[in-house]
Amino acid sequence: ENGAVVATEVTGKDGYATLAAPEGNYRLRANAPADYGFGKLGGKLDTTESVMEESASRIQESGVITLTTNAKAEAGIGMMPMAIVRGKIWNDLNADGIWQEDEPGVPGVRMTLEGGKDKALLEVVTDENGVYEFHQVKKGNFTLGCHVPDEYVFTGKAKGKNDETRVSRMTTEKDRVGEMSMSLERGE
């Protein structure tokens, strides 16, 4: 009723937790594990339907749940794995479109991820090793953008068969921003 925490619990391996509280109006607050979000809101208060709105947020609060004397209320909270988008931006010293161990990452490159049902626009910057990561991404169709610093240009496409994790997937001749479309499912 007043925002005070009256009970806390961590779910067991079976996904259940039991909280006890006196008669009154309450809200459940749930903290999802890393890279998990919340499933769709159900229509009733029981363990088979979620009391949380669908969201990529890791913390969410339910609507009001009323407890009466000697009554038992059961609430479900549906969680789902979120997608993670990660990659590396490197200085392709030999311009072959393939990353080699001696080619350094490029720090400070702005990366954007745009789209999905919510029309999200997420932005990160590559770390000191040129690595970027977008976490808590809901499923959907997205465009990944790489905003090239002035002192760089995109590398050319790799020739022949190569290890897909080391090949440049984003190439362009003249633009300062490269884009790549992708479709993400939960947990990818």
Side-chain angles (χ1 to χ4, degrees), residues 38 45 48 50 66 70 93 101 111 118 122 129 137 155 165 170 177 187:
F38 294 90
L45 184 63
T48 64
S50 183
T66 301
N70 298 324
L93 298 172
E101 295 285 336
M111 302 294 296
D118 300 334
L122 308 172
N129 298 308
V137 181
T155 189
T165 62
M170 204 177 290
V177 178

Side-chain angles (χ1 to χ4, degrees), residues 88 90-105 155 158 162 165-167:
K88 181 175 183 108
W90 75 91
N91 186 349
D92 193 9
L93 298 172
N94 61 2
D96 67 351
I98 303 168
W99 177 71
Q100 282 89 33
E101 295 285 336
D102 64 335
E103 292 177 321
T155 189
N162 299 288
T165 62
R166 293 175 170 259
V167 174

Side-chain angles (χ1 to χ4, degrees), residues 59-125:
I59 299 173
Q60 194 172 142
E61 199 170 270
S62 74
V64 174
I65 297 171
T66 301
L67 297 181
T68 57
T69 304
N70 298 324
K72 179 180 179 182
E74 293 185 335
I77 298 175
M79 292 188 182
M80 59 190 176
M82 297 284 100
I84 301 170
V85 177
R86 66 172 56 108
K88 181 175 183 108
I89 307 299
W90 75 91
N91 186 349
D92 193 9
L93 298 172
N94 61 2
D96 67 351
I98 303 168
W99 177 71
Q100 282 89 33
E101 295 285 336
D102 64 335
E103 292 177 321
V106 180
V109 177
R110 185 168 69 100
M111 302 294 296
T112 55
L113 187 63
E114 184 172 6
K117 184 172 78 174
D118 300 334
K119 305 281 188 258
L121 175 58
L122 308 172
E123 187 173 310
V124 296
V125 176

Side-chain angles (χ1 to χ4, degrees), residues 34-41 50 52-57 78-85 116-118 134-142 182-188:
D35 298 319
Y36 274 78
F38 294 90
K40 290 184 180 180
L41 176 67
S50 183
M52 302 296 184
E53 297 280 343
E54 183 176 354
S55 171
S57 172
M79 292 188 182
M80 59 190 176
M82 297 284 100
I84 301 170
V85 177
K117 184 172 78 174
D118 300 334
F134 294 93
H135 289 264
Q136 298 301 116
V137 181
K138 291 170 79 172
K139 73 176 186 172
N141 295 316
F142 291 86
M182 60 179 60
S183 181
L184 300 174
E185 293 298 323
R186 291 182 181 106
E188 286 189 318

